[in-house]
Amino acid sequence: MFGLFKKKKNRSENAGKGADQETKDLVLTSSLDRNVKIIRTLFEDVDILRVRFIENNYDKDLRYCIIYCDGVVNSDAINENLIKPLMLSQVCPSGDDFVDTVIRSIVQICDAKKADRFQEIVEAVVYGNTILFAEGQDQAILLDTKAFQTRSVSEPDNEKGLLGPRDGFTESLLGNLSLIRRRILTADLKMKSMILGARTRTKIYVCYMDSLVNKQILAQLYTRLNAIDIDGILDANYITEQIMDVPWSPFRTVGYTERPDVVVGKLLEGRIALFVDGTPVVLTVPYLFIENFQSSEDYYMNFFYTSFSRILRIIGSLLTITVPGLYIAVEGFHHEMLPPQLFISIAAERKSVPLPAALEAFVMLILFDILKETGVRMPSTIGQALSIVGALVIGQAAVDAKLVAAPMVIIIALTGITALLVPKLNAPMIYIRIMLLIASSMLGFFGLMLGMTCLAIHILNLYSFGVPQIMLSRKLRYQNIKDTFIRAPWWQMIRRPRFTANKIRQNTKGAHRD
């Protein structure tokens, strides 16, 4: 058996498979010592592995062995609910139902199941479970004794809101699932587990509302997940880039969030949530383009204010990609569009500046992104001071030194501030802004409009799991735009998105509002 195991190990170096794949054909034997020896071989050089032999005080023939990894288990539960019952129990299991008797009458762990293959045992040990072997039995018992160290539940730094819940996901998979389960108290919420990553064996959960989800979208998601063949999954983005519809598009076709309330809202709209062990980021599909401008607090505040805020975000996103190009087009090609006094003022400022306006704008945009990236990577207290003071000092010094015109500093400042309104589009905006700037510097307004047209065509052709990200309708109906650039009041949020299986959100019969 060990010779075969070594041959498999040599072949696995070329095949790129982990040790878990090598053990898939190994099964337990009735010899306790031999089973333990195989486990020791599989976990060679793993110094946190703990092996403990136990004998029953009333029957010395009852020999057991528990195996676990130190640091990821609950030691108190092992001592009180496993070791002590095995030593002091007067129950003497025997016969074919030996393992079942141990589970029913001796061990005091809530989650216990049987396994007869070493692959299951290895996965259970590394995931924080304790394995119980018994002399003469070719089955082991997997006992749930996990106790991972995780950070406390707190509001995500990237998705803070003025109103609404303050909890957020952590790196604990089961803890994240519990935050969803306590909000949806129905058996209609389904949670199905999968394993991805040949070496990391990362556990993921696919969650959805069975009566709301579109089964075709669900089947398509499973097809894409099953097609993933990678050695490790360390974060949700590993999955995002392999299941997105348009891999080379700068826009996302898979949603992400760290807020449980956002995930619950998506589930209630017929979407599917994907939880990945070890990361607080949860993926949601399908993803509509308008979700880039939506915020969780939009649904916790008055609809008048949130509709105004959402319109501001849309306007801000348009400004941040067009203002630099628009300024270059007007300043370089279309002087007649400026009032004479304003044109004279800009021309006087640019008279002593050495660089062309287009190159000046490009340099300033890159410099702004460098300051922003530096502020993000630095410690929080230093990063904030560096971003604000650096922008003020460098901008003023550049103007005084006649390296940059003052109007250009204003344009870049407006571009940077409006970009902060829509954080989900930060990455695409960098490329689009530069693209439109280059088009405007070459062809003026014609280049700007040509770039905007290409951008609009690209967005209109984006799909997320077969669902158009811009869901256009032949007829302009209020229910189709109620949660797009405005947020309608809750009593008028009657229908769910068109891709869901059940499109009716609420019954308005007897409502006191029209």
Side-chain angles (χ1 to χ4, degrees):
M1 179 182 295
F2 287 102
L4 177 61
F5 179 74
K6 290 180 181 179
K7 292 179 181 178
K8 287 185 177 181
K9 186 172 183 179
N10 293 333
R11 289 198 300 268
S12 70
E13 294 177 359
N14 297 325
K17 301 300 181 180
D20 295 326
Q21 296 293 328
E22 300 162 0
T23 61
K24 63 182 180 180
D25 295 327
L26 291 176
V27 296
L28 272 71
T29 66
S30 57
S31 171
L32 176 61
D33 294 332
R34 188 170 182 80
N35 291 336
V36 173
K37 185 177 181 180
I38 295 175
I39 289 293
R40 290 183 184 274
T41 303
L42 293 173
F43 284 91
E44 186 179 2
D45 297 331
V46 180
D47 293 337
I48 62 172
L49 186 73
R50 301 291 181 262
V51 179
R52 167 77 183 273
F53 288 92
I54 302 169
E55 289 185 355
N56 185 271
N57 291 347
Y58 299 96
D59 187 350
K60 298 301 182 181
D61 293 332
L62 290 177
R63 293 180 63 240
Y64 304 96
C65 180
I66 61 172
I67 296 177
Y68 60 90
C69 283
D70 196 11
V72 294
V73 297
N74 187 335
S75 300
D76 293 336
I78 294 176
N79 292 331
E80 297 296 326
N81 302 332
L82 183 57
I83 295 178
K84 184 180 291 186
L86 289 174
M87 295 177 63
L88 303 179
S89 174
Q90 299 185 25
V91 177
C92 296
S94 60
D96 296 336
D97 61 346
F98 184 100
V99 175
D100 293 325
T101 302
V102 172
I103 295 176
R104 289 195 308 264
S105 306
I106 300 180
V107 299
Q108 301 174 12
I109 304 294
C110 60
D111 187 6
K113 62 180 182 179
K114 297 181 290 185
D116 59 0
R117 293 186 177 274
F118 279 97
Q119 183 182 14
E120 300 177 67
I121 294 172
V122 169
E123 292 177 359
V125 170
V126 298
Y127 201 60
N129 292 326
T130 299
I131 313 301
L132 175 61
F133 294 98
E135 182 64 70
Q137 302 300 316
D138 58 0
Q139 288 183 318
I141 303 175
L142 313 183
L143 302 164
D144 184 6
T145 57
K146 293 185 289 290
F148 294 108
Q149 295 295 323
T150 59
R151 60 187 174 93
S152 59
V153 175
S154 60
E155 186 176 14
D157 292 333
N158 297 328
E159 299 181 68
K160 289 185 179 295
L162 299 176
L163 296 176
R166 300 294 182 184
D167 54 350
F169 293 125
T170 65
E171 289 73 19
S172 172
L173 177 60
L174 296 179
N176 293 342
L177 294 173
S178 68
L179 293 175
I180 301 300
R181 172 51 71 186
R182 77 175 188 179
R183 285 175 164 85
I184 303 180
L185 305 179
T186 173
D188 193 41
L189 175 62
K190 307 301 180 183
M191 298 180 174
K192 294 188 176 181
S193 65
M194 296 180 63
I195 299 293
L196 290 181
R199 296 186 184 276
T200 60
R201 307 293 295 171
T202 304
K203 182 173 288 189
I204 68 171
Y205 271 84
V206 179
C207 300
Y208 56 90
M209 302 293 291
D210 191 52
S211 62
L212 303 180
V213 71
N214 186 316
K215 295 300 191 295
Q216 293 181 348
I217 297 177
L218 182 62
Q220 191 174 2
L221 175 61
Y222 276 122
T223 300
R224 298 187 188 184
L225 290 175
N226 290 327
I228 296 176
D229 185 11
I230 191 173
D231 59 349
I233 301 291
L234 303 181
D235 184 75
N237 192 60
Y238 283 59
I239 299 175
T240 300
E241 294 187 5
Q242 301 208 49
I243 65 174
M244 60 190 302
D245 291 62
V246 190
W248 296 104
S249 174
F251 297 102
R252 298 184 65 95
T253 58
V254 178
Y256 67 98
T257 183
E258 294 184 38
R259 295 182 62 101
D261 56 319
V262 173
V263 173
V264 171
K266 302 300 182 187
L267 291 174
L268 294 177
E269 288 188 340
R271 289 177 172 85
I272 307 168
L274 191 61
F275 292 77
V276 182
D277 194 12
T279 176
V281 177
V282 175
L283 306 178
T284 59
V285 294
Y287 186 70
L288 303 183
F289 191 78
I290 192 62
E291 293 181 53
N292 292 312
F293 307 100
Q294 295 174 346
S295 174
S296 60
E297 61 185 9
D298 287 353
Y299 306 95
Y300 305 138
M301 304 177 71
N302 183 271
F303 62 93
F304 284 114
Y305 176 76
T306 56
S307 297
F308 176 73
S309 299
R310 192 173 292 179
I311 293 173
L312 280 184
R313 295 180 205 132
I314 296 174
I315 295 175
S317 66
L318 292 175
L319 289 176
T320 192
I321 62 176
T322 58
V323 164
L326 182 62
Y327 174 77
I328 297 303
V330 172
E331 196 274 336
F333 293 88
H334 309 284
H335 301 156
E336 68 279 1
M337 297 191 64
L338 292 175
Q341 191 63 35
L342 179 58
F343 175 72
I344 293 172
S345 176
I346 293 176
E349 284 288 337
R350 292 209 49 81
K351 186 177 180 181
S352 57
V353 175
L355 297 177
L359 182 58
E360 183 182 13
F362 180 79
V363 171
M364 289 295 292
L365 286 173
I366 296 298
L367 181 60
F368 182 85
D369 287 327
I370 290 175
L371 287 173
K372 184 173 66 174
E373 188 71 14
T374 304
V376 171
R377 304 304 169 193
M378 295 291 290
S380 57
T381 54
I382 302 177
Q384 293 176 3
L386 179 65
S387 298
I388 299 172
V389 177
L392 292 175
V393 171
I394 294 176
Q396 186 62 41
V399 172
D400 292 341
K402 303 299 182 181
L403 296 176
V404 179
M408 184 60 70
V409 175
I410 298 174
I411 293 298
I412 299 303
L414 177 62
T415 301
I417 292 173
T418 51
L420 300 177
L421 285 173
V422 190
K424 291 183 179 180
L425 289 177
N426 271 341
M429 283 176 179
I430 295 174
Y431 300 101
I432 296 170
R433 189 187 302 133
I434 294 176
M435 179 193 71
L436 295 179
L437 177 61
I438 295 173
S440 300
S441 64
M442 296 174 61
L443 301 173
F445 263 130
F446 178 75
L448 179 63
M449 297 308 299
L450 181 63
M452 291 294 293
T453 302
C454 294
L455 176 63
I457 292 174
H458 176 70
I459 294 175
L460 288 172
N461 284 277
L462 286 178
Y463 283 80
S464 177
F465 287 80
V467 178
Q469 284 206 306
I470 303 292
M471 301 186 69
L472 299 177
S473 177
R474 294 181 179 178
K475 295 182 179 180
L476 184 63
R477 296 179 177 177
Y478 178 69
Q479 284 298 316
N480 293 334
I481 63 171
K482 66 184 182 307
D483 195 20
T484 53
F485 58 89
I486 62 169
R487 202 276 282 176
W490 271 114
W491 69 82
Q492 293 183 352
M493 304 274 274
I494 300 173
R495 298 180 66 84
R496 296 187 181 91
R498 284 181 289 171
F499 58 80
T500 57
N502 185 347
K503 297 178 177 57
I504 303 300
R505 188 195 305 270
Q506 60 178 320
N507 186 2
T508 58
K509 184 181 294 186
H512 67 282
R513 297 180 177 86
D514 294 333

